[in-house]
């Protein structure tokens, strides 16, 4: 337990030092050597925790994967799949919304970061799909994958259009509105009044 806490503290110290440098100089102007000097760790220690410099930005918490799995495990038995998936996404946003915004703020100033994929999306789809198939043996794999992929795409679409200067509740409400729109059915969306 103490070892896990020490590892998390080291992860957080490296990331905090890196983000401070990125915000001051810009992502592309900061090297791994700069980060390890600021964090007071060895270069090898950095690579024990992060695959590369991009991973510092696109991984939102040392406990991210564990937290994601706990959200899934906390869903009540018998809950409809869509409701479970939406609750997991909303719980994830409550925990990591501020980290997502940091990522979004850094991206426009860095061609490297702009090209970097966010691994959370692929992992979220894989974890949600595996968990959903276990929880809902009554559903086929295509049915599960459709539900999960549509929900994650709605999340990604909302986040892509976030204004990072809006207050957090506004951004979270945009995600919820996108998920609600999908749940209602895109074809059922009312047409705007004619002028």
């Amino acid at each position: 337990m103490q070892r896990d806490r020490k590892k998390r503290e080291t992860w957080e110290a490296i990331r905090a030092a890196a983000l401070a440098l990125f915000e001051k100089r810009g992502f592309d102007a900061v090297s791994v050597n700069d980060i390890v000097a600021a964090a007071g760790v060895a270069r090898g220690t950095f690579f024990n925790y992060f695959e590369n410099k991009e991973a510092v930005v696109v991984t939102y918490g040392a406990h991210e994967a564990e937290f994601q799995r706990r959200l899934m495990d906390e869903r009540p038995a018998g809950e409809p799949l869509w409701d479970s998936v939406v609750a997991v996404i909303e719980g994830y946003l409550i925990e990591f919304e501020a980290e997502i915004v940091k990522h979004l703020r850094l991206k426009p100033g860095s061609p490297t970061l702009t090209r970097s994929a966010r691994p959370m999306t692929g992992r979220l789809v894989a974890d949600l799909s595996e968990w959903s198939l276990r929880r809902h043996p009554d559903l086929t794999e295509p049915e599960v994958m459709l539900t999960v992929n549509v929900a994650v795409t709605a999340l990604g679409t909302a986040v892509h259009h976030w204004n990072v200067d809006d207050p957090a509740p506004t951004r979270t409400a945009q995600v919820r509105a996108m998920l609600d729109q999908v749940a209602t059915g895109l074809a059922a969306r009312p047409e705007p009044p004619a002028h």
Side-chain angles (χ1 to χ4, degrees):
M1 197 72 172
Q2 185 175 353
R3 186 168 178 270
D4 289 342
R5 185 171 67 251
K6 175 65 176 173
K7 286 176 68 175
R8 181 167 172 173
E9 288 172 353
T10 302
W11 186 98
E12 290 172 346
I14 294 170
R15 188 167 189 266
L19 289 176
L21 289 172
F22 296 156
E23 289 171 9
K24 183 177 180 180
R25 302 185 198 168
F27 179 84
D28 292 343
V30 176
S31 69
V32 171
N33 287 340
D34 294 331
I35 295 169
V36 299
V41 300
R43 186 179 172 89
T45 301
F46 175 91
F47 288 109
N48 286 339
Y49 290 89
F50 299 98
E51 182 181 353
N52 50 40
K53 192 173 68 166
E54 290 82 355
V56 176
V57 179
V58 300
T59 307
Y60 295 149
H63 66 305
E64 183 179 354
E66 174 192 341
F67 182 81
Q68 192 171 286
R69 287 191 294 270
R70 189 163 71 246
L71 287 173
M72 296 175 198
D73 293 341
E74 289 173 352
R75 301 318 307 156
E79 183 176 53
L81 177 57
W82 178 260
D83 294 345
S84 296
V85 170
V86 168
V88 169
I89 287 173
E90 290 183 330
Y92 184 94
L93 280 176
I94 290 169
E95 182 74 4
F96 295 113
E97 189 270 347
E99 299 304 318
I100 297 171
V101 170
K102 287 179 185 176
H103 180 192
L104 294 175
R105 285 187 186 279
L106 287 170
K107 280 184 77 169
S110 167
T112 305
L113 263 187
T114 300
R115 290 191 300 269
S116 294
R118 167 69 175 112
M120 178 274 288
T121 303
R123 186 170 65 238
L124 182 61
V125 169
D127 288 352
L128 272 174
S129 299
E130 180 183 341
W131 174 81
S132 300
L133 285 166
R134 289 198 313 269
R135 287 266 302 219
H136 294 273
D138 55 313
L139 298 177
T140 66
E141 185 171 354
E143 288 172 324
V144 167
M145 292 304 299
L146 177 63
T147 300
V148 170
N149 279 310
V150 166
V152 172
T153 298
L155 166 65
T157 302
V159 169
H160 180 74
H161 290 91
W162 273 358
N163 179 344
V164 294
D165 295 320
D166 282 342
T170 299
R171 292 190 293 265
T172 304
Q174 288 169 343
V175 173
R176 182 68 211 213
M178 193 73 70
L179 289 165
D180 287 346
Q181 184 179 339
V182 171
T184 304
L186 294 175
R189 187 179 182 191
E191 292 294 328
H195 294 292

